[in-house]
Amino acid sequence: MESAVLDFESDYFTLFKLQEGVYSAIAKNHTITGANAGFFDLGDYVIVFDTMSAPKATQDLIKGAKFCCKKEIRLVINSHFHGDHIYGNHAISPSIPIIGTHDTVKMINEHTFENLANYQKNARKEIKKLDNQLKTESNPAVLFEINSDLDFLLTISEHGFNLRLPDLIFQKELTIHGSKRSVQIIDVGAAHSISDTIAYLPNDNICFMGDLLFENVDPSWVDKKSVMPFAVNPKNHLKVLKKYSDLNIKYAIPGHGKLSPSPIVFKSNIEFLRLKYPDAFS
């Protein structure tokens, strides 16, 4: 079946049905809060992949999962340690385990908490700046992004906001078999980040790739030092992309950007890596 946009209202994402029981949440905003996520029904329960950055977006994601699957969430996967994919852990019930790798937990402790503290420290100044922008901005798309960033900053500034760590640690690969489908939760090692986890659904040939894939990469970005995407291990990143490209994945859900035909997204990301890191492939 072709993917279908669902009639589910969220300020943060558009919900797509990829296959019966498999859904992607594609972010509407591409600033602070603009990471993608998704969820799938194993048969008896639902697994969520990534929690986005704004806890209110995560609350919508939870509602979307219950709306689509009519079942409880029993597990959440964190793809890597970057805050735009895991700040939403705050909104996950303590009764629902979050799974990640040892290195992801290590990097959250060493870096993500510090980044969050910096956001919180500068939140008042940034909120004031965004409030001033609201007074003069008229473009609806820009207004939407300003309001999304304001919502994020106000939320993380609330008393009692805390970033929850993964509490289930796996090594290399974990396969979970459900009555409807199986999922392979795979640590591909250092690629985009120091540890990247994907969720591959072999029965459906669908893969949630996290930030191993960006939909809207452009070769012209190569000379821009600060631009995303980047790779801490370009060789392994390329190896992983080539491996899953060769599987002719039906849907490869990127960490950022729109849902697009998988061959096109894989090709553009592979080309980008080769251009951005030529020394790694010489």
Side-chain angles (χ1 to χ4, degrees):
M1 64 173 286
E2 295 297 319
S3 64
V5 177
L6 297 182
D7 185 18
F8 178 82
E9 188 173 338
S10 173
D11 290 336
Y12 301 95
F13 57 80
T14 302
L15 199 55
F16 288 84
K17 182 178 182 179
L18 307 179
Q19 188 86 6
E20 188 64 42
V22 185
Y23 305 86
S24 62
I26 303 300
K28 293 179 178 179
N29 174 28
H30 300 294
T31 56
I32 296 175
T33 58
N36 298 331
F39 53 87
F40 42 91
D41 178 7
L42 282 194
D44 300 313
Y45 58 90
V46 174
I47 295 179
V48 170
F49 184 87
D50 274 347
T51 60
M52 314 184 98
S53 64
K56 289 183 180 178
T58 316
Q59 291 167 4
D60 280 359
L61 191 66
I62 293 167
K63 290 176 185 175
K66 292 180 178 179
F67 169 79
C68 293
C69 303
K70 308 294 189 292
K71 291 169 187 167
E72 294 300 315
I73 297 166
R74 295 283 180 83
L75 183 67
V76 171
I77 301 167
N78 279 171
S79 64
H80 62 299
F81 75 94
H82 293 157
D84 53 338
H85 294 264
I86 64 168
Y87 284 153
N89 287 3
H90 173 79
I92 301 298
S93 167
S95 65
I96 300 172
I98 300 175
I99 191 169
T101 67
H102 170 79
D103 283 336
T104 292
V105 173
K106 181 174 182 285
M107 294 301 286
I108 292 172
N109 278 317
E110 292 179 0
H111 296 281
T112 315
F113 279 120
E114 181 180 352
N115 291 339
L116 177 60
N118 287 332
Y119 270 129
Q120 292 170 324
K121 179 182 177 181
N122 297 314
R124 184 175 295 181
K125 180 175 68 176
E126 290 300 315
I127 288 168
K128 184 176 180 180
K129 185 168 78 173
L130 291 169
D131 277 335
N132 288 333
Q133 289 178 23
L134 281 177
K135 295 173 184 176
T136 58
E137 184 58 60
S138 58
N139 185 315
V142 177
L143 284 170
F144 174 79
E145 294 196 348
I146 292 172
N147 279 308
S148 295
D149 288 351
L150 267 173
D151 182 54
F152 167 73
L153 291 168
L154 288 166
T155 301
I156 65 166
S157 301
E158 290 175 356
H159 178 71
F161 181 91
N162 65 294
L163 175 57
R164 184 181 160 195
L165 287 163
D167 38 31
L168 278 181
I169 307 302
F170 80 103
Q171 291 183 333
K172 295 185 179 179
E173 183 173 335
L174 172 67
T175 299
I176 303 175
H177 298 289
S179 58
K180 283 188 176 179
R181 58 176 46 84
S182 299
V183 58
Q184 296 171 4
I185 304 171
I186 303 167
D187 174 18
V188 302
H192 165 72
S193 75
I194 201 70
S195 175
D196 291 289
T197 296
I198 63 173
Y200 177 54
L201 309 176
N203 308 90
D204 308 284
N205 203 21
I206 292 172
C207 195
F208 292 85
M209 299 290 295
D211 278 359
L212 292 168
L213 274 186
F214 280 63
E215 174 267 332
N216 54 346
V217 291
D218 185 331
S220 68
W221 295 352
V222 167
D223 295 328
K224 299 178 182 178
K225 293 182 180 179
S226 63
V227 77
M228 297 284 279
F230 62 87
V232 300
N233 187 330
K235 279 189 176 180
N236 188 48
H237 196 156
L238 181 67
K239 178 182 175 183
V240 172
L241 292 186
K242 289 175 72 175
K243 174 181 177 179
Y244 285 90
S245 175
D246 289 345
L247 291 179
N248 295 314
I249 299 286
K250 184 177 181 181
Y251 292 109
I253 297 87
H256 295 267
K258 297 180 293 185
L259 194 64
S260 298
S262 293
I264 295 173
V265 181
F266 276 113
K267 182 179 178 180
S268 64
N269 278 257
I270 289 169
E271 179 185 2
F272 179 86
L273 284 171
R274 287 189 179 279
L275 290 171
K276 188 169 179 65
Y277 303 101
D279 292 344
F281 308 111
S282 57

